[in-house]
């Protein structure tokens, strides 16, 4: 058997493969990412208890904009009943410019046992990456906003009036990739208003266990300058979670 018939046969077999998958074919970009985590929780401050928590984070990133939404839930109970119940909803949309981005953001908190049971904050402004390398990223944001706070009921004030405040929001978001499997995050946010001021520090340490699974330690600390009588100014939530990432 000569080589010519063999080469002809191979070329005929390979033609359908080239027809189905062109040589310049590339997989479509995946702009969507999601994180789901759950685990153990310790509360100190206005609430002292231990229980479970959950968090879901969705990110959609394109060349023109980035949208990020986060839902958090905290629940704890003891023999006497529920001791902590809180739900957080956060959404931010960044519209990219040649340098930096403009953003719109909403933060909504329902906290049955917190110093403020309902906290609604909307803000907008400008942000930019002060540092952006392969391992380190630091983003800074500043802009005006509006905050609605409903204090918890007390014996002295069983029907408190809501606080409504125009605020200035500043934020620093830091991310450090320590090595291939470990990442450290720290977000610091300050809201300055005429009636009240708050500072929130959110720290996370994530270590990949295998493939898309990771172990995460998180600490959320919030300081509120003016709180209802009998409440503490600082609330701290510490979480130990197992995290799964969809990409």
């Amino acid at each position: 058997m000569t080589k010519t018939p063999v080469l002809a046969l191979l070329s005929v077999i390979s033609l359908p493969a080239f027809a189905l998958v062109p040589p310049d074919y590339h997989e479509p970009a995946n702009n969507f990412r999601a994180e789901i985590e759950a685990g153990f929780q310790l509360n100190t401050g206005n609430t002292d208890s231990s229980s479970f928590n959950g968090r879901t984070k969705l990110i959609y990133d394109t060349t023109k904009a980035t949208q990020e939404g986060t839902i958090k839930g905290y629940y704890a109970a003891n023999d006497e009943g529920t001791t902590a119940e809180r739900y957080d909803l956060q959404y931010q949309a960044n519209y990219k410019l040649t340098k930096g981005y403009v953003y719109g953001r909403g933060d909504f908190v329902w906290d049955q046992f917190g110093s403020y049971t309902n906290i609604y904050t909307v803000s907008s402004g400008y942000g930019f990456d002060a540092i952006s390398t392969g391992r380190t990223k630091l983003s800074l944001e500043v802009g005006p906003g509006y905050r609605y706070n409903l204090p918890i009921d007390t014996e002295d004030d069983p029907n408190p009036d809501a606080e409504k405040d125009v605020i200035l929001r500043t934020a620093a978001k830091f991310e450090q990739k320590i090595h291939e499997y470990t990442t450290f995050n720290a977000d610091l946010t300050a809201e300055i208003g005429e009636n009240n001021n708050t500072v929130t520090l959110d720290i996370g340490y994530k270590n990949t266990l295998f493939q898309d699974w990771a172990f995460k330690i998180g600490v959320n600390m919030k300081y509120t300058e003016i709180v209802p009588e009998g409440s503490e100014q600082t609330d701290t939530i510490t979480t130990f979670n197992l995290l799964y990432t969809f990409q």
Side-chain angles (χ1 to χ4, degrees):
M1 186 175 183
T2 64
K3 293 183 179 181
T4 301
V6 175
L7 293 176
L9 179 61
L10 290 175
S11 64
V12 171
I13 295 175
S14 61
L15 280 176
F18 281 103
L20 293 174
V21 183
D24 59 348
Y25 173 80
H26 298 283
E27 289 288 341
N30 185 9
N31 301 320
F32 178 78
R33 180 163 57 92
E35 295 179 352
I36 296 178
E37 64 179 82
F40 185 67
Q41 163 191 334
L42 294 174
N43 286 354
T44 61
N46 290 302
T47 305
D48 294 311
S49 61
S50 60
S51 189
F52 291 94
N53 74 93
R55 170 182 168 273
T56 300
K57 183 177 182 179
L58 306 175
I59 300 174
Y60 185 70
D61 187 12
T62 65
T63 56
K64 295 184 178 180
T66 301
Q67 301 181 63
E68 181 178 314
T70 303
I71 301 174
K72 302 178 184 178
Y74 308 92
Y75 179 81
N78 55 26
D79 295 338
E80 298 179 356
T82 303
T83 59
E85 187 174 2
R86 171 174 165 172
Y87 305 97
D88 295 5
L89 174 62
Q90 301 169 348
Y91 173 79
Q92 180 165 331
N94 299 339
Y95 296 93
K96 301 175 182 178
L97 307 174
T98 304
K99 292 185 178 180
Y101 56 90
V102 293
Y103 71 88
R105 181 180 177 89
D107 294 87
F108 309 95
V109 178
W110 298 269
D111 190 353
Q112 184 177 352
F113 296 88
S115 56
Y116 290 92
T117 57
N118 295 333
I119 305 173
Y120 310 143
T121 306
V122 292
S123 61
S124 61
Y126 174 76
F128 67 97
D129 292 335
I131 302 174
S132 183
T133 66
R135 290 182 172 270
T136 306
K137 184 175 181 180
L138 174 63
S139 300
L140 303 177
E141 297 177 351
V142 61
Y146 175 82
R147 182 176 61 209
Y148 171 97
N149 285 350
L150 181 62
I152 193 172
D153 299 345
T154 62
E155 293 183 0
D156 295 335
D157 192 359
N159 297 300
D161 294 329
E163 299 176 1
K164 302 174 183 179
D165 217 353
V166 175
I167 63 169
L168 175 66
R169 175 184 177 272
T170 59
K173 302 179 180 181
F174 176 76
E175 178 179 312
Q176 177 67 50
K177 193 168 185 179
I178 301 174
H179 56 69
E180 183 179 357
Y181 302 105
T182 306
T183 304
F184 173 80
N185 296 82
D187 295 348
L188 180 64
T189 304
E191 296 178 0
I192 309 300
E194 182 180 356
N195 300 317
N196 210 343
N197 302 317
T198 65
V199 178
T200 304
L201 176 62
D202 199 356
I203 300 174
Y205 175 86
K206 182 174 69 174
N207 187 70
T208 302
L209 301 175
F210 55 90
Q211 293 184 344
D212 298 324
W213 291 92
F215 175 72
K216 181 181 176 182
I217 301 174
V219 179
N220 180 278
M221 294 181 288
K222 182 175 182 179
Y223 170 83
T224 304
E225 185 177 4
I226 301 173
V227 296
E229 185 178 355
S231 300
E232 296 187 18
Q233 291 178 302
T234 303
D235 275 319
T236 304
I237 299 176
T238 304
T239 57
F240 306 88
N241 290 353
L242 188 63
L243 181 146
Y244 182 78
T245 302
F246 298 88
Q247 296 191 62

